Amino acid sequence: MDSGDKERGERGVACSLLKLSDGRLRVVLDDVRNLAPGELGPWQHEVFVTFKDYERAALSSLDLPEDELAAFGHYVLARLLAANGLLWSEP
């Protein structure tokens, strides 16, 4: 059985974490493109999407409101669908 652990699509969303000088943490989202579709990469930056800063203690302990965590997951999935041209819109 093929597990697909070595296959990737053409477009993705990269999520990175930046430590700020004031002690907060910044979560950054970028759209990326796989230069070897169907394979593991390499990946190339395409578009900066957004960022949000958090207090280190709150983010490190995942002590965020459930609605904020849900909104983050929803946003990542929406970006992934949009980057791949698969986000449905109302007629």
Side-chain angles (χ1 to χ4, degrees):
M1 173 190 274
D2 179 20
S3 66
D5 65 343
K6 294 190 185 331
E7 297 177 39
R8 301 293 184 272
E10 183 177 339
R11 296 181 184 268
V13 176
C15 182
S16 62
L17 190 65
L18 177 65
K19 295 176 186 176
L20 301 176
S21 61
D22 63 4
R24 293 180 299 154
L25 298 174
R26 176 171 288 170
V27 176
V28 182
L29 295 178
D30 295 285
D31 286 348
V32 293
R33 177 187 295 261
N34 188 345
L35 299 179
E39 298 179 21
L40 293 175
W43 294 85
Q44 179 179 353
H45 179 266
E46 286 250 299
V47 177
F48 163 75
V49 176
T50 192
F51 73 89
K52 184 164 184 180
D53 297 341
Y54 293 93
E55 293 301 323
R56 184 178 182 144
L59 191 60
S60 294
S61 65
L62 295 176
D63 188 22
L64 301 172
E66 282 295 318
D67 59 339
E68 185 164 354
L69 291 170
F72 178 77
H74 182 267
Y75 191 78
V76 169
L77 288 175
R79 277 307 308 162
L80 189 57
L81 289 167
N84 284 280
L86 298 171
L87 188 62
W88 290 0
S89 61
E90 294 292 323

